[in-house]
Amino acid sequence: MSQRRFKPITLRSAAVKEKGPVKITVIDYDENNFQQKEVTSIEECSVYRDKPTVTWINVEGVHRPDVLEKIANCFGLHPLILEDISDVDQRPKIEDMDDYLFIVFKMLSYNFEYAEIEIEQISLVFGKNFVISFQETVGDIFDPIRERLKAGKGRIRKMGADYLAYSLMDATVDNYFKILDEFGEKIEFLEDEIISRPDPLVLKEIYHLKREIIFLRRIILPLREMLRLLDRSESGLIKEPIRIYFRDIHDHVIQVIDSIEVFREMLTGMIEIYLSSLSKRMNEIMKVLTVIATIFMPLTFVTGVFGMNFRYIPGLERAWGFPIAILIMFGIGVYMLRYFRKNKWI
Amino acid sequence: MSQRRFKPITLRSAAVKEKGPVKITVIDYDENNFQQKEVTSIEECSVYRDKPTVTWINVEGVHRPDVLEKIANCFGLHPLILEDISDVDQRPKIEDMDDYLFIVFKMLSYNFEYAEIEIEQISLVFGKNFVISFQETVGDIFDPIRERLKAGKGRIRKMGADYLAYSLMDATVDNYFKILDEFGEKIEFLEDEIISRPDPLVLKEIYHLKREIIFLRRIILPLREMLRLLDRSESGLIKEPIRIYFRDIHDHVIQVIDSIEVFREMLTGMIEIYLSSLSKRMNEIMKVLTVIATIFMPLTFVTGVFGMNFRYIPGLERAWGFPIAILIMFGIGVYMLRYFRKNKWI
Amino acid sequence: MSQRRFKPITLRSAAVKEKGPVKITVIDYDENNFQQKEVTSIEECSVYRDKPTVTWINVEGVHRPDVLEKIANCFGLHPLILEDISDVDQRPKIEDMDDYLFIVFKMLSYNFEYAEIEIEQISLVFGKNFVISFQETVGDIFDPIRERLKAGKGRIRKMGADYLAYSLMDATVDNYFKILDEFGEKIEFLEDEIISRPDPLVLKEIYHLKREIIFLRRIILPLREMLRLLDRSESGLIKEPIRIYFRDIHDHVIQVIDSIEVFREMLTGMIEIYLSSLSKRMNEIMKVLTVIATIFMPLTFVTGVFGMNFRYIPGLERAWGFPIAILIMFGIGVYMLRYFRKNKWI
Amino acid sequence: MSQRRFKPITLRSAAVKEKGPVKITVIDYDENNFQQKEVTSIEECSVYRDKPTVTWINVEGVHRPDVLEKIANCFGLHPLILEDISDVDQRPKIEDMDDYLFIVFKMLSYNFEYAEIEIEQISLVFGKNFVISFQETVGDIFDPIRERLKAGKGRIRKMGADYLAYSLMDATVDNYFKILDEFGEKIEFLEDEIISRPDPLVLKEIYHLKREIIFLRRIILPLREMLRLLDRSESGLIKEPIRIYFRDIHDHVIQVIDSIEVFREMLTGMIEIYLSSLSKRMNEIMKVLTVIATIFMPLTFVTGVFGMNFRYIPGLERAWGFPIAILIMFGIGVYMLRYFRKNKWI
Amino acid sequence: MSQRRFKPITLRSAAVKEKGPVKITVIDYDENNFQQKEVTSIEECSVYRDKPTVTWINVEGVHRPDVLEKIANCFGLHPLILEDISDVDQRPKIEDMDDYLFIVFKMLSYNFEYAEIEIEQISLVFGKNFVISFQETVGDIFDPIRERLKAGKGRIRKMGADYLAYSLMDATVDNYFKILDEFGEKIEFLEDEIISRPDPLVLKEIYHLKREIIFLRRIILPLREMLRLLDRSESGLIKEPIRIYFRDIHDHVIQVIDSIEVFREMLTGMIEIYLSSLSKRMNEIMKVLTVIATIFMPLTFVTGVFGMNFRYIPGLERAWGFPIAILIMFGIGVYMLRYFRKNKWI
């Protein structure tokens, strides 16, 4: 099942960046106890699996099949789940495996240095009393949750694995709003640009942004469906009081998708404004040309008339000939200008 | 669950405006009694909670967590509900919490001074015999309902908390029609403008309006879904005879959405008319240029011919040379003009 | 529940026209008997309500609340139903009130004098053995049904209230096809116009028509949904053998909507043809300009050359100078014309 | 229920063509026997109705109400069914009348002489052991089926009325593919035309074709829905092993609709290509004009300079004056041409 | 049921290529045994049908009805299934025949030589312990699966016929990603072209590609529906643990469709960029023309003034007349150029 995927161009996958060692953090807690350690491989998990405490195993890096396989064997993960975890081009989805739920979704983080959005795949496996989270690279997005667990403040230590899974998803989805803010600012910037300076480069950037938006939508849209399925699933792994929390994430995702749709419509509108400003500009250029031609062509014709070499042309020999010709031409010019002014051409 | 949202640009959120103190109005009534008082904080609510009378607590301002928390504790509201109330960027939704229904929607009011639509979030929590309404700011939209309650006229005093909740929603949705009227008038105005004076500024305003319409739609569309869910919900909190009232609001919301769709189509049509009028205008400019050039270029050529310095050019030496040349040119000009008239160019 | 609605512009509501007195016609019939009388108010209806015969009360005019209320009290109509009847901006809908069905829909009639479509709201309330129909104004659309009832021909006298309700709806929907014919003819006319005479006025009329079509669709589309609900409803008020008749109306409504969609697509196509004809026309204007300029600019240059005042220009002094210059210019002109003819410019 | 329909323009209804006498063919068969006779009216049908053999009554012509009514009475058809049969503007639909199924759909046949598609309505009524088919005009589309029945080859004689009904529908749907081939060829032809010779007449023909396609789609789309309903219907008239055959027709209809969608997209693409070729052409015309003007305007200016009547203009009196002026002008011309060549204008 | 289909133009059907003999490969295996032989016809299949081992019969070539019929008789395939197998224009679909499942889908392979995508229809019939696969031509796409079976590595030998069927589908769908990569590269190439060299030929190629994409979508879209139906089917032929594998293919197909949608949007965007670049280019051409005309028309007018043959024109007789005239003209030219520069025309 080796999978080759179409790689999108504009949003950078975080996976390409680095291939360092896999970092595994094991946190084990219940309401009263908290224990955290870092390991490089999971050999025996029976310790965690059978304890009533909640165990959270965070795996940073999915490029080492041997490490993943040990975890999979330990927790009895299906081979296909394992493949999905290591294939970082998954579409967000949920798989109910009875003993555990498998959830894949994307984390987005804005890289200010390169003005790029980094996409990272997060896989969650959570069962009765454990959560295993897989990140593509070493990251710090889950640090605040670790802090909350350590401090034992709030609800989190009193709740089970399902609440922990919720917290991890919530942290990720909350991050989407930051990305949207970046987009929103850029769109506003481009909107000012397109009106004040209708340039093909701005147009190109709008198309670039539009494509990024389409791509973003593609990543987030299935999340909505996934959370709908989660809400309707009859899995006992998510306890009834926790369901409202997942529904809350669902609301946020719908809000994100709403904003994306608005962005798309705004970008489409901007393209239309650009095109109409091109037409408008053309009209103005043509007006200038027409005004100039309409004034000077008759005048030049008049000079031509008096430039003909006929021997007998009235007025040529008279002193007032030239001034009168000039006056006539001046009159024509003034009339033309007034005509154009009346028609609001100039 | 700190939430950062993408802030829309064109419709102003009422929340930004003022951060005064929280105003709490408690109204307690049944068919025979009516009592109203203003408090600044709810300490003990057991009085209202356990009485068989209907209690309506209207909270104006959601920026004081301490005040909200007291109310939440008092009526046993879920922490997430509390968060949703104080986060004024919620999407309209309904949450059935068994003991109470939680409804969020948006109030729109047109600010004539700034020509802005102010969006205010209204949250309703209603249980067996109480309704708690949360407004973002101090407002007077619910005054007529208060008056009706006080006067004891009509059905309202005889009905329960569900009818009160309906009345609050109905007052809000009725307000939407006023906003639509504003939009309708502005669209009609712009329509006249775009035909009589096809200006890029008008186009920009059309796009602005279109975006406002899209945003409005985004606010109202989920309301339809929410009311559909409400209609199908099996919550016992809405008694059977009251359901038809909520269905009535549902009908109104569908009507509002219909109008919004028509507005969108009208605006799109106006943009197309603008673009076609640009093309039309261009044709007219080009016609003027072409007519002028087509008349004067041959004439100027004729003057050029007789302006050449050849010694022997027929007619140069004759008295009738010049008049004939003028006649020829005049003939060419007249012919051209008639040709253009025949082809309906001028 | 005072409702302010957005009033559409192009189709005229019949309600605005006249506010005469309310005309009430009561018809009471069974297979063997037929009785008809005109009253101005319904005081006691127990006579009709409890008789096994079918009673049809036709109310022409909904602007007198007192008259409506008497009827409502008499037949036990819900206050909201009463409001819906008198509010003539209702969306077509059905409301199953157990004891009776309430149906609202729109009648369309083409006013040849003003070339306007008049929209009139028809409300039907029908129970076990009565039908109450409400029209906005005095109209004669139901006359043929009255005639059929009087004559006692066909099925109608043998059937119950449900068949009468069907007959009233059917008469209304049949009228839609007449309206479609009007639209069809106008669209065909405009289609010929837009190709033979691409004028902005025609474009404006197309947009006007398109908006009317959109508005028409808005009125008829909910009818389809309403009839689908009626077909699925489990109300015992429509007997099994009558259901196929309502399904027949459903088919007609779908056919009307199909035609409306085709009209929309045709109008959109006509707009595109108009725009492309503008571009085409522009091309032709530019061709004329270019042909003229391309012929006369080189010629005028030649005359300019020989018009220079150099003392020594070859040929100036010779008798054959001028004829040769003319020949050269003539040759250039002919060559240009042939070049354009070859390229199919002229 | 008199129905006036909007008559489409481009596809000709076969019904208008001829109004000859009604031709009725009765075929009665089982596995071993086959009997065929032609009658002009069905008086007693009890013979056929009660026999266990399959009876197929093919009625060619639906314009004689008396003939239809006799058949209806004989087989107990509902009055509305009768109306639907004689009204040839029906939308394809299915009606389950318990004792029999009523199916309406359209037959399309390409008339090579007039390059028109003839639409004919086929109505099928089939019960336990009879099929009655109604065609609008005398036609030979069902001849192959008659032949197969006569010859007794294949499955057809061994199967019941449901298989016969399937065979009739299948013959009709198979014909659709021929029509699609005609469209496909015309579209390919127009596609070559639009690129090689972008003419408004071709554009008009594309729009004409597009409208025909829309109309075709309108005829065939409801067939899909109808076949879906047929598949899900619980009517016992279609035996389980025959259902797969109707599903096969369903597949074909979906294929036809797919092709129609592709045709639509192709035609839309062709219109866009036409419009862009207009713009492209305009650019080329403008280039010619600009090149000519840009070369000759400066040159004519130079001739004008030396054509001025100042007494003292350098070079006028010298022998080398004219050649140098010509050289300068030649140089300007060459420079301009090279500039345009460099910018790929010529 | 002879079927004539509309043949698409741009993607080549593999079927046309060659009509060689039919090649049949029979593989029979269980966990411990593996047997492979090539035959040219299946006479007795009872051997394979009744054995508990899994039998895979791969038929390369569907143009010999006699060969297909033997197989059909042997495994009891329905006549319609047989028709579907030999008709290579099927839409992807699934047919549950209780004893066996019948699946049709398309294999795509990129022919580098002709830059064509070859479409081949794959039909799968699989029952309790057999899989029969039909390819249109001799191909090697299933070789890796044969190798895996021979080697006995992995799960495949331990699983049943359903897993084999899955493997065959999976190999086909995996190939789609390769095709997408080809498209992706071509689109990227064209995107660079359209911006750097906006040529009608590139536009034509974009339209060609777009149509290919539409066609591709048409082939793959029904696959999604088919896999959804497979997932929901209650056929016992797919064992519960194997369903997740088919769901995995479903995910891949959705991913492919997503990419196709993105491609379509990209191509549409490219067409818009092309059209706007045409307008932009037009503006630039017009600017050049206008600049030239606006500079030289006034200058030529001035020369014309002094070229008139009036006897008394001030300055003509003076030595400084010509230099001053030249200076005036130079001044006008410089002024015009500065004006254009200020307005960013040049």
Side-chain angles (χ1 to χ4, degrees), chain D residues 173 176-177 180 217 220-221 223-225 227-228 231 246-262, chain E residues 5 89-93 218 221-222 225 229:
Chain D
V173 171
Y176 290 176
F177 289 106
L180 287 185
R217 193 173 164 272
I220 297 175
L221 209 57
L223 205 61
R224 182 176 63 179
E225 177 62 10
L227 284 158
R228 206 182 55 82
D231 192 31
F246 282 99
R247 221 141 58 217
D248 194 70
I249 300 182
H250 194 184
D251 285 348
H252 292 183
V253 168
I254 290 175
Q255 234 172 328
V256 170
I257 292 168
D258 271 5
S259 292
I260 288 175
E261 293 303 325
V262 170
Chain E
R5 297 290 130 84
D89 289 311
Q90 287 296 315
R91 236 175 152 254
K93 69 168 180 175
R218 226 181 119 203
L221 208 58
E225 177 63 9
L229 285 178

Side-chain angles (χ1 to χ4, degrees), chain A residues 147-160:
Chain A
E147 288 313 309
R148 272 200 283 156
L149 277 173
K150 209 173 203 165
K153 279 191 291 194
R155 273 158 284 184
I156 195 159
R157 281 270 285 277
K158 292 173 204 134
M159 315 297 258

Side-chain angles (χ1 to χ4, degrees), chain E residues 98-339:
Chain E
D98 294 333
D99 288 338
Y100 54 91
L101 285 169
F102 172 61
I103 298 174
V104 189
F105 52 91
K106 302 286 180 183
M107 202 194 73
L108 302 173
S109 53
Y110 190 75
N111 185 322
F112 281 92
E113 202 178 337
Y114 302 96
E116 278 174 340
I117 293 168
E118 278 174 27
I119 305 162
E120 195 176 337
Q121 180 165 307
I122 308 284
S123 310
L124 287 187
V125 174
F126 76 94
K128 220 182 141 225
N129 56 358
F130 68 90
V131 174
I132 320 176
S133 52
F134 299 87
Q135 292 176 254
E136 280 185 56
T137 59
V138 176
D140 48 8
I141 186 174
F142 294 148
D143 277 356
I145 293 166
R146 250 183 295 265
E147 289 312 309
R148 271 200 280 156
L149 277 174
K150 209 173 205 166
K153 278 191 289 194
R155 273 158 283 182
I156 195 161
R157 282 270 286 277
K158 291 172 205 136
M159 316 297 258
D162 46 3
Y163 190 84
L164 178 58
Y166 150 73
S167 302
L168 299 176
M169 279 194 80
D170 188 55
T172 310
V173 171
D174 258 19
N175 229 31
Y176 291 176
F177 289 107
K178 273 195 213 154
I179 301 295
L180 287 185
D181 283 343
E182 290 303 324
F183 271 101
E185 271 174 37
K186 202 164 182 188
I187 286 172
E188 260 184 86
F189 169 74
L190 286 174
E191 196 164 35
D192 290 347
E193 283 289 286
I194 206 83
I195 286 166
S196 64
R197 196 164 56 86
D199 195 88
L201 287 174
V202 181
L203 183 71
K204 222 182 122 183
E205 199 150 342
I206 288 172
Y207 272 106
H208 182 99
L209 208 61
K210 205 180 168 189
R211 192 184 318 159
E212 273 180 315
I213 290 277
I214 290 168
F215 190 71
L216 206 67
R217 194 174 164 271
R218 226 181 119 203
I219 284 172
I220 297 174
L221 208 58
L223 205 60
R224 182 176 62 179
E225 177 63 9
M226 172 190 128
L227 284 156
R228 207 183 55 83
L229 285 178
L230 196 70
D231 192 31
R232 297 197 177 173
S233 90
E234 288 164 2
S235 166
L237 290 170
I238 303 177
K239 288 183 289 289
E240 203 48 52
I242 305 302
R243 282 181 184 264
I244 190 177
Y245 291 99
F246 282 99
R247 221 142 58 218
D248 194 71
I249 300 183
H250 193 183
D251 286 346
H252 292 183
V253 167
I254 289 173
Q255 233 171 330
V256 170
I257 291 167
D258 271 6
S259 293
I260 287 176
E261 292 303 325
V262 169
F263 285 158
R264 266 182 86 178
E265 299 231 27
M266 282 169 76
L267 288 170
T268 302
M270 280 155 73
I271 292 165
E272 282 172 9
I273 285 180
Y274 173 75
L275 290 176
S276 77
S277 80
L278 277 188
S279 292
K280 188 81 200 164
R281 189 113 184 79
M282 181 71 126
N283 274 4
E284 274 153 25
I285 294 172
M286 293 310 301
K287 267 187 199 166
V288 169
L289 177 59
T290 306
V291 165
I292 290 290
T294 315
I295 290 172
F296 283 103
M297 278 187 165
L299 299 189
T300 303
F301 168 67
V302 171
T303 66
V305 167
F306 292 108
M308 291 192 291
N309 294 325
F310 290 105
R311 181 154 295 174
Y312 312 105
I313 299 182
L316 279 195
E317 305 300 323
R318 316 272 173 192
W320 41 262
F322 179 71
I324 280 186
I326 291 292
L327 268 177
I328 288 170
M329 291 189 279
F330 189 77
I332 291 173
V334 166
Y335 174 79
M336 286 290 181
L337 283 171
R338 289 178 68 176
Y339 175 80

Side-chain angles (χ1 to χ4, degrees), chain B residues 28-304:
Chain B
D28 193 81
Y29 67 91
D30 62 9
E31 199 171 344
N32 304 311
N33 305 299
F34 176 87
Q35 194 188 338
Q36 170 169 1
K37 63 176 174 185
E38 281 202 20
V39 297
T40 49
S41 176
I42 300 281
E43 298 296 336
E44 330 151 25
C45 57
S46 49
V47 198
Y48 309 116
R49 219 179 41 207
D50 305 334
K51 272 168 73 177
T53 54
V54 179
T55 307
W56 170 24
I57 300 171
N58 188 34
V59 183
E60 288 164 269
V62 293
H63 50 283
R64 287 271 303 277
D66 55 326
V67 175
L68 296 183
E69 245 161 66
K70 272 180 197 154
I71 299 171
N73 291 335
C74 186
F75 286 89
L77 305 186
H78 193 279
L80 272 179
I81 298 295
L82 204 62
E83 280 187 34
D84 286 350
I85 289 168
S86 57
D87 171 9
V88 296
D89 290 312
Q90 286 297 315
R91 234 174 157 255
K93 69 167 179 176
I94 184 167
E95 200 73 62
D96 186 346
M97 304 300 286
D98 294 333
D99 288 338
Y100 54 90
L101 284 169
F102 172 62
I103 298 176
V104 189
F105 53 90
K106 301 288 179 182
M107 204 194 70
L108 303 174
S109 53
Y110 190 76
N111 186 322
F112 281 92
E113 201 178 339
Y114 303 98
E116 276 174 342
I117 293 167
E118 279 174 26
I119 306 162
E120 194 177 334
Q121 179 164 309
I122 309 284
S123 309
L124 289 187
V125 174
F126 75 95
K128 221 181 140 227
N129 56 359
F130 67 90
V131 175
I132 319 174
S133 53
F134 298 87
Q135 291 176 254
E136 280 184 56
T137 60
V138 175
D140 47 8
I141 185 172
F142 295 147
D143 277 356
I145 294 167
R146 248 183 297 265
E147 288 313 310
R148 272 200 280 156
L149 277 174
K150 211 174 203 163
K153 279 191 290 195
R155 272 157 286 184
I156 195 160
R157 280 271 285 277
K158 292 173 204 135
M159 315 298 257
D162 45 2
Y163 189 85
L164 179 58
Y166 150 73
S167 303
L168 299 176
M169 279 195 80
D170 188 54
T172 311
V173 171
D174 257 18
N175 229 31
Y176 290 176
F177 289 106
K178 274 196 215 153
I179 303 295
L180 286 186
D181 283 343
E182 290 304 324
F183 271 102
E185 271 173 38
K186 204 166 181 186
I187 286 172
E188 259 183 86
F189 168 75
L190 286 176
E191 196 165 35
D192 291 346
E193 282 291 285
I194 207 82
I195 286 166
S196 64
R197 196 166 55 86
D199 195 88
L201 286 175
V202 181
L203 183 72
K204 221 182 123 185
E205 199 150 341
I206 288 172
Y207 272 106
H208 183 98
L209 208 60
K210 203 178 169 191
R211 195 187 313 161
E212 271 180 318
I213 290 277
I214 290 167
F215 191 71
L216 206 67
R217 192 173 165 273
R218 227 180 117 202
I219 283 172
I220 297 174
L221 207 58
L223 205 59
R224 182 176 61 179
E225 176 63 10
M226 173 190 129
L227 283 157
R228 206 182 55 81
L229 286 178
L230 196 69
D231 192 31
R232 297 198 177 172
S233 92
E234 290 164 0
S235 167
L237 290 170
I238 303 179
K239 288 183 288 292
E240 205 47 51
I242 305 301
R243 283 182 184 263
I244 191 178
Y245 291 98
F246 281 100
R247 221 143 56 218
D248 194 69
I249 301 182
H250 192 184
D251 285 347
H252 292 184
V253 167
I254 289 174
Q255 233 171 329
V256 170
I257 291 168
D258 271 4
S259 293
I260 289 175
E261 292 303 326
V262 170
F263 285 159
R264 266 181 87 178
E265 298 231 29
M266 281 169 76
L267 289 169
T268 302
M270 281 154 73
I271 292 165
E272 283 173 9
I273 285 179
Y274 173 75
L275 290 177
S276 77
S277 79
L278 276 188
S279 292
K280 187 80 200 165
R281 188 117 184 78
M282 180 70 127
N283 275 3
E284 274 151 26
I285 294 171
M286 292 310 300
K287 267 188 199 166
V288 170
L289 177 59
T290 307
V291 166
I292 290 290
T294 314
I295 290 171
F296 284 102
M297 277 188 167
L299 300 189
T300 305
F301 167 67
V302 171
T303 65

Side-chain angles (χ1 to χ4, degrees), chain C residues 80-184:
Chain C
L80 272 180
I81 296 295
L82 204 61
E83 280 187 34
D84 285 350
I85 288 168
S86 57
D87 171 9
V88 295
D89 290 312
Q90 286 298 315
R91 232 173 157 256
K93 69 167 178 176
I94 185 166
E95 202 72 62
D96 186 346
M97 304 298 286
D98 292 335
D99 288 338
Y100 55 89
L101 284 169
F102 173 61
I103 298 176
V104 190
F105 53 90
K106 302 286 180 184
M107 203 194 71
L108 302 175
S109 54
Y110 190 75
N111 185 322
F112 281 92
E113 203 178 335
Y114 302 97
E116 277 174 341
I117 293 168
E118 278 174 27
I119 306 162
E120 194 177 334
Q121 180 165 307
I122 309 283
S123 309
L124 289 187
V125 174
F126 74 97
K128 220 181 143 229
N129 56 358
F130 67 90
V131 174
I132 319 174
S133 53
F134 299 87
Q135 291 176 255
E136 281 184 56
T137 61
V138 175
D140 48 8
I141 185 173
F142 295 148
D143 278 355
I145 293 166
R146 249 183 296 266
E147 289 311 311
R148 272 199 281 155
L149 277 173
K150 211 174 204 164
K153 278 191 290 192
R155 273 158 285 184
I156 196 161
R157 281 270 285 277
K158 294 172 204 136
M159 316 297 257
D162 45 2
Y163 190 85
L164 178 59
Y166 150 74
S167 301
L168 299 176
M169 280 195 79
D170 188 54
T172 311
V173 170
D174 257 18
N175 229 30
Y176 290 177
F177 288 106
K178 275 195 213 154
I179 303 295
L180 286 186
D181 283 344
E182 290 304 323
F183 270 103

Side-chain angles (χ1 to χ4, degrees), chain E residues 17-166:
Chain E
K17 209 168 49 181
E18 47 183 314
K19 288 287 185 195
V22 174
K23 186 180 152 198
I24 303 177
T25 318
V26 180
I27 292 178
D28 193 83
Y29 67 90
D30 65 6
E31 199 171 346
N32 303 313
N33 304 300
F34 176 85
Q35 193 188 338
Q36 172 169 359
K37 64 176 171 184
E38 283 201 18
V39 296
T40 50
S41 177
I42 299 280
E43 300 295 338
E44 330 151 26
C45 58
S46 51
V47 197
Y48 309 117
R49 220 178 43 207
D50 306 333
K51 270 167 75 176
T53 53
V54 179
T55 306
W56 172 21
I57 300 171
N58 188 34
V59 183
E60 288 165 89
V62 293
H63 50 284
R64 287 271 303 276
D66 55 326
V67 175
L68 296 184
E69 245 161 67
K70 272 179 196 155
I71 298 171
N73 291 334
C74 187
F75 284 91
L77 305 186
H78 194 280
L80 274 179
I81 297 296
L82 203 61
E83 278 186 36
D84 286 350
I85 289 169
S86 57
D87 172 10
V88 296
D89 289 311
Q90 287 296 315
R91 236 175 152 254
K93 69 168 180 175
I94 184 168
E95 201 72 63
D96 186 345
M97 305 297 287
D98 294 333
D99 288 338
Y100 54 91
L101 285 169
F102 172 61
I103 298 174
V104 189
F105 52 91
K106 302 286 180 183
M107 202 194 73
L108 302 173
S109 53
Y110 190 75
N111 185 322
F112 281 92
E113 202 178 337
Y114 302 96
E116 278 174 340
I117 293 168
E118 278 174 27
I119 305 162
E120 195 176 337
Q121 180 165 307
I122 308 284
S123 310
L124 287 187
V125 174
F126 76 94
K128 220 182 141 225
N129 56 358
F130 68 90
V131 174
I132 320 176
S133 52
F134 299 87
Q135 292 176 254
E136 280 185 56
T137 59
V138 176
D140 48 8
I141 186 174
F142 294 148
D143 277 356
I145 293 166
R146 250 183 295 265
E147 289 312 309
R148 271 200 280 156
L149 277 174
K150 209 173 205 166
K153 278 191 289 194
R155 273 158 283 182
I156 195 161
R157 282 270 286 277
K158 291 172 205 136
M159 316 297 258
D162 46 3
Y163 190 84
L164 178 58
Y166 150 73

Side-chain angles (χ1 to χ4, degrees), chain D residues 83-239:
Chain D
E83 279 186 35
D84 286 350
I85 289 169
S86 58
D87 171 10
V88 295
D89 289 312
Q90 287 297 315
R91 233 172 155 259
K93 69 167 179 176
I94 185 167
E95 202 73 62
D96 186 346
M97 305 297 287
D98 292 334
D99 288 338
Y100 55 91
L101 285 169
F102 172 62
I103 298 175
V104 189
F105 52 91
K106 302 286 180 184
M107 203 194 72
L108 303 174
S109 53
Y110 190 75
N111 184 322
F112 281 92
E113 203 178 336
Y114 301 97
E116 277 174 340
I117 293 167
E118 278 174 27
I119 306 161
E120 195 177 335
Q121 180 165 309
I122 308 283
S123 309
L124 288 187
V125 174
F126 75 95
K128 220 182 144 229
N129 55 359
F130 68 90
V131 174
I132 319 175
S133 52
F134 299 87
Q135 290 177 256
E136 281 184 56
T137 60
V138 176
D140 48 7
I141 186 174
F142 295 148
D143 277 355
I145 293 166
R146 249 184 295 267
E147 289 311 309
R148 272 200 282 156
L149 277 174
K150 209 172 204 166
K153 279 192 289 194
R155 273 158 284 183
I156 196 162
R157 282 268 286 277
K158 293 174 204 133
M159 317 297 258
D162 46 1
Y163 190 84
L164 178 58
Y166 149 74
S167 301
L168 298 177
M169 282 195 77
D170 188 54
T172 310
V173 171
D174 257 19
N175 229 30
Y176 290 176
F177 289 106
K178 275 195 212 153
I179 303 295
L180 287 185
D181 283 344
E182 289 305 323
F183 271 103
E185 271 174 38
K186 203 165 181 188
I187 286 173
E188 259 183 86
F189 169 74
L190 286 175
E191 196 165 34
D192 290 347
E193 283 290 285
I194 206 82
I195 286 167
S196 64
R197 195 164 58 86
D199 195 89
L201 287 174
V202 181
L203 183 71
K204 222 184 122 185
E205 199 152 343
I206 288 172
Y207 271 106
H208 182 99
L209 208 60
K210 204 180 168 189
R211 195 188 312 161
E212 274 181 315
I213 290 277
I214 289 167
F215 190 72
L216 206 67
R217 193 173 164 272
R218 226 181 119 202
I219 284 173
I220 297 175
L221 209 57
L223 205 61
R224 182 176 63 179
E225 177 62 10
M226 172 190 129
L227 284 158
R228 206 182 55 82
L229 286 178
L230 196 71
D231 192 31
R232 295 196 180 175
S233 91
E234 287 164 2
S235 167
L237 290 170
I238 303 177
K239 288 183 287 292

